[in-house]
Amino acid sequence: MNDVTPRRVTSADVARLAGVSRATVSYVLNNTPHQTISAGTRARVLDAAAGLGYAPSAAARTLRTGRSDVVLCLLPDWPIGHEVGALLANLSAELDRAGLTFLAHPGTRRPAGHLWRSINPAAVLSFRRFSAEETESMLGAGVAPVVAPLSRPDTPEGPQQRIGNLQAAHLAAAGHTRIGYAYPDDDRVRAFADPRLEGVRARCAELGLAPPLVRTVPLEPEPAAGVVREWRASGVTAVCAYNDEVALAVLAGRETPDGPAVIGVDDIPAARLATPALTTVTTDQAAVAVHLATAVLAAVHGEPEPVLDLACAIRVVARASA
Amino acid sequence: MNDVTPRRVTSADVARLAGVSRATVSYVLNNTPHQTISAGTRARVLDAAAGLGYAPSAAARTLRTGRSDVVLCLLPDWPIGHEVGALLANLSAELDRAGLTFLAHPGTRRPAGHLWRSINPAAVLSFRRFSAEETESMLGAGVAPVVAPLSRPDTPEGPQQRIGNLQAAHLAAAGHTRIGYAYPDDDRVRAFADPRLEGVRARCAELGLAPPLVRTVPLEPEPAAGVVREWRASGVTAVCAYNDEVALAVLAGRETPDGPAVIGVDDIPAARLATPALTTVTTDQAAVAVHLATAVLAAVHGEPEPVLDLACAIRVVARASA
DNA sequence: CTTCGGAACTGACACGTGTAACTTGCTCGT
DNA sequence: ACGAGCAAGTTACACGTGTCAGTTCCGAAG
């Protein structure tokens, strides 16, 4: 008669099977520096561990060391789409390579303090800024707070601004002088929309163009058509959109094929399938993931954040719409 | 001079401040049944805990009880988009309400055995089927395996089949008799594409129509145009697409406005912005989230899986394209 | 007055791990 | 010949929690 509850295999089981002490098992499996283990013993331990299918308890390890190998990512409450999905997948793979476990928590509205207080993650990655007390509290608990550089509205030369820059530059290079900006109809994405718009403004000013004519564009054809008429009346011949989706709304709002040129952001799958095919600014999510991963690793090891340039990961995909 | 490392506040700190034993603190905070605590003591403990900002260590609790309050969701390696994002957000909120912590792990390719073995989650939620040994292994470890009913190819009346059913029914109701199926050009989504196609086939047979003419449609305009020409030559007047994105590809492939009618799945934001606006089958993600949450809760409590009907959460959104 | 039972609480152990401190042979320099 | 020093391990403790088994106190039943 077997046990009804087949207990978890612990390092003690491995030790017993290998004929050594539990400490030795720990030293071998973590190959602790400054510990001398004979080759034979090491092999016996590794064999025993593999044979029993031993996997250390994250709970016990976390309890002992005070820190887990989890990187907790707090997802924002705005809709996560194709590009964020790709980013998460790449980031997970990247951190996995460094021995960290990437876990994402979709945003509950309430303050996530409870979460990282109980999980004891190595780092917390967020897309919004932390409050001063949050930061202090996390540092006090030994948790490394990391804010995705994607969403730093404070730097005037941040990646979001660069996106706007490229949009405006592309339109200007095509000869457009009066530019509109299609602002999203969703308050939750302001943190992204504002710096992008800022980037467009800056580039327009730099090129001696009039500042962009900003209008909020809902994701419905009829209201969008109204906005497009407004732009046409004001002499706007090209539009930077917050998003590919907003850009598609602008396209849908054009009553005639000679409407304003449009450039979006993200290169979602639908972009190349639109008529006309949507010109857009894309971000190399794999490169961003690598960047974020190194930032997280640096924070975990207490090193200063590396200054890496994301500019090269952002580029224009020229298609028919602009 | 303060401590340089401000230690974590433990239940012992709470006990000391409240002037009771640690056991009492535990009984109060977990309000353990069959334990009688006087109102005064209870209040003192709660005050002390609140005052110190006490949050129990998930690691220690997990170590002691053998099970954590985490629901681990293994994300598949196919691209997660708008609809999965919404599902995760809803699901997280729903489980949060039940006191469970929802954490998603974007799919690393390697078998995720290591992950749930170390995290000790209350349940593991996956979108693909578990192998027999995986299931056995998890049950042995006391972890509840849950497979999202969205992705059960085995039930002939599953939700995915119903999506195909509705697509075909909508086209047939509009008078179409020769139907095409636009199959995705991505092996990773076969688990969804096949049952949907099966649903289309079943409905066609039921209505006495010829079986759908299946073609793989890449997400590029030119190849899609080739497939559309093929369909037209074969007398196909309407197409069920795996996806809204595939549907948009078919729309993009129509050289003339009188091309085949098209119906997609998901109602992504770009659907209503296409020309013509895309008719599609949408799923109420909030309802699905509630359903999944109850399934997870039942599994965690060892109850049999509740049989809930998802059919009412799936409906056609009629627009101009079909 | 004794006894008994429940209310209200406490003491102590176990969960599985990492690691500092200690032990035991054995080699080698003098 | 003898201790120094190092390789190769082991013993023991701490991390923070849940909970079983007691312990004390006190009112009420016999």
Side-chain angles (χ1 to χ4, degrees):
Chain A
M1 200 173 83
N2 283 332
D3 302 66
V4 60
T5 57
R7 258 193 50 267
R8 156 187 270 281
V9 318
T10 77
S11 73
D13 299 325
V14 177
R16 209 170 304 126
L17 180 56
V20 297
S21 82
R22 220 179 42 66
T24 303
V25 172
S26 177
Y27 289 142
V28 168
L29 294 183
N30 304 339
N31 47 6
T32 313
H34 308 300
Q35 284 289 340
T36 52
I37 309 283
S38 75
T41 307
R42 179 176 298 266
R44 287 215 315 287
V45 168
L46 290 174
D47 283 359
L52 293 177
Y54 169 68
S57 152
R61 177 176 289 185
T62 300
L63 179 59
R64 177 59 236 246
T65 64
R67 199 117 11 260
S68 76
D69 67 342
V70 164
V71 173
L72 179 64
C73 178
L74 300 176
L75 295 182
D77 60 347
W78 35 263
I80 78 174
H82 173 265
E83 60 297 340
V84 181
L87 175 62
L88 296 184
N90 285 325
L91 190 49
S92 178
E94 209 60 41
L95 290 175
D96 192 77
R97 199 163 303 148
L100 295 177
T101 304
F102 180 84
L103 290 178
H105 181 74
T108 50
R109 206 59 53 95
R110 67 177 188 184
H114 265 280
L115 199 52
W116 62 260
R117 256 168 218 273
S118 56
I119 300 279
N120 282 58
V124 176
L125 176 62
S126 170
F127 291 94
R128 66 169 180 80
R129 295 234 306 281
F130 293 114
S131 73
E133 52 190 340
E134 277 178 320
T135 305
E136 188 185 4
S137 178
M138 294 172 73
L139 287 176
V143 181
V146 180
V147 176
L150 303 169
S151 49
R152 296 241 186 87
D154 38 349
T155 57
E157 280 305 319
Q160 300 300 323
Q161 282 88 344
R162 172 146 179 89
I163 287 174
N165 271 337
L166 286 181
Q167 285 184 305
H170 183 79
L171 296 182
H176 297 282
T177 56
R178 191 78 182 95
I179 291 180
Y181 193 84
Y183 200 86
D185 189 21
D186 186 339
D187 285 344
R188 299 172 296 180
V189 296
R190 272 204 181 150
F192 285 85
D194 287 337
R196 287 182 192 176
L197 172 54
E198 209 48 53
V200 173
R201 277 219 183 86
R203 183 52 65 101
C204 282
E206 185 187 325
L207 295 175
L209 304 183
L213 188 59
V214 181
R215 289 287 179 272
T216 297
V217 179
L219 295 183
E220 300 280 349
E222 300 82 10
V227 176
V228 169
R229 273 192 297 271
E230 261 191 85
W231 271 324
R232 166 177 291 252
S234 309
V236 167
T237 61
V239 173
C240 301
Y242 160 71
N243 216 353
D244 277 355
E245 284 161 5
V246 176
L248 290 177
V250 175
L251 278 187
R254 309 193 314 176
E255 269 112 1
T256 61
D258 66 331
V262 182
I263 182 170
V265 180
D266 278 347
D267 195 18
I268 63 177
R272 63 161 59 84
L273 300 173
T275 48
L278 184 63
T279 294
T280 188
V281 174
T282 188
T283 305
D284 181 353
Q285 297 298 347
V288 174
V290 170
H291 176 259
L292 271 182
T294 62
V296 167
L297 283 175
V300 167
H301 296 136
E303 302 160 9
E305 177 171 347
V307 283
L308 294 182
D309 199 7
L310 274 179
C312 55
I314 304 172
R315 63 172 220 283
V316 172
V317 180
R319 296 206 182 95
S321 78
Chain B
M1 201 175 85
N2 282 331
D3 302 69
V4 60
T5 57
R7 260 196 48 269
R8 156 187 269 281
V9 317
T10 78
S11 73
D13 299 324
V14 177
R16 210 169 302 126
L17 180 55
V20 296
S21 82
R22 222 177 41 68
T24 304
V25 171
S26 177
Y27 289 141
V28 168
L29 294 182
N30 303 338
N31 47 2
T32 313
H34 309 302
Q35 284 290 339
T36 54
I37 308 284
S38 75
T41 306
R42 179 176 297 267
R44 287 214 317 285
V45 169
L46 290 174
D47 283 358
L52 292 176
Y54 169 69
S57 152
R61 177 175 288 184
T62 300
L63 179 58
R64 178 61 239 247
T65 64
R67 200 118 9 262
S68 76
D69 67 342
V70 164
V71 173
L72 179 65
C73 178
L74 300 176
L75 295 182
D77 60 348
W78 35 262
I80 78 174
H82 174 264
E83 61 296 341
V84 181
L87 175 62
L88 296 184
N90 286 324
L91 190 50
S92 178
E94 208 63 40
L95 289 175
D96 192 77
R97 200 164 301 148
L100 295 176
T101 304
F102 180 85
L103 290 178
H105 181 74
T108 49
R109 206 60 53 94
R110 68 176 188 185
H114 266 277
L115 198 51
W116 63 260
R117 256 168 218 273
S118 56
I119 301 279
N120 282 57
V124 176
L125 176 62
S126 170
F127 291 94
R128 67 169 180 79
R129 296 234 306 282
F130 293 114
S131 73
E133 52 189 341
E134 277 177 321
T135 305
E136 187 185 6
S137 178
M138 294 172 75
L139 287 176
V143 180
V146 180
V147 176
L150 304 168
S151 49
R152 297 240 186 88
D154 37 348
T155 57
E157 280 303 319
Q160 299 300 324
Q161 281 89 344
R162 174 149 177 86
I163 288 174
N165 272 336
L166 286 180
Q167 285 184 305
H170 182 80
L171 296 182
H176 296 282
T177 56
R178 192 78 183 93
I179 290 181
Y181 192 85
Y183 199 86
D185 189 22
D186 187 339
D187 285 344
R188 299 172 297 179
V189 296
R190 272 202 181 151
F192 285 87
D194 288 337
R196 288 181 192 176
L197 172 54
E198 209 49 53
V200 172
R201 277 218 183 86
R203 183 53 65 99
C204 282
E206 185 187 327
L207 295 175
L209 304 183
L213 189 58
V214 181
R215 288 288 178 274
T216 295
V217 178
L219 295 182
E220 299 280 349
E222 299 81 12
V227 177
V228 169
R229 274 192 296 271
E230 260 191 86
W231 271 323
R232 164 177 290 249
S234 309
V236 167
T237 61
V239 173
C240 301
Y242 160 71
N243 215 353
D244 277 356
E245 284 161 6
V246 177
L248 289 177
V250 175
L251 279 187
R254 309 194 314 176
E255 270 112 0
T256 61
D258 66 330
V262 181
I263 183 170
V265 180
D266 278 347
D267 195 17
I268 64 177
R272 62 160 58 85
L273 301 172
T275 48
L278 184 64
T279 294
T280 189
V281 174
T282 187
T283 304
D284 181 353
Q285 297 298 347
V288 174
V290 171
H291 176 259
L292 270 182
T294 62
V296 167
L297 284 175
V300 167
H301 296 135
E303 302 160 10
E305 178 172 347
V307 283
L308 293 182
D309 199 6
L310 273 180
C312 56
I314 304 172
R315 63 172 221 284
V316 172
V317 180
R319 297 205 182 95
S321 78

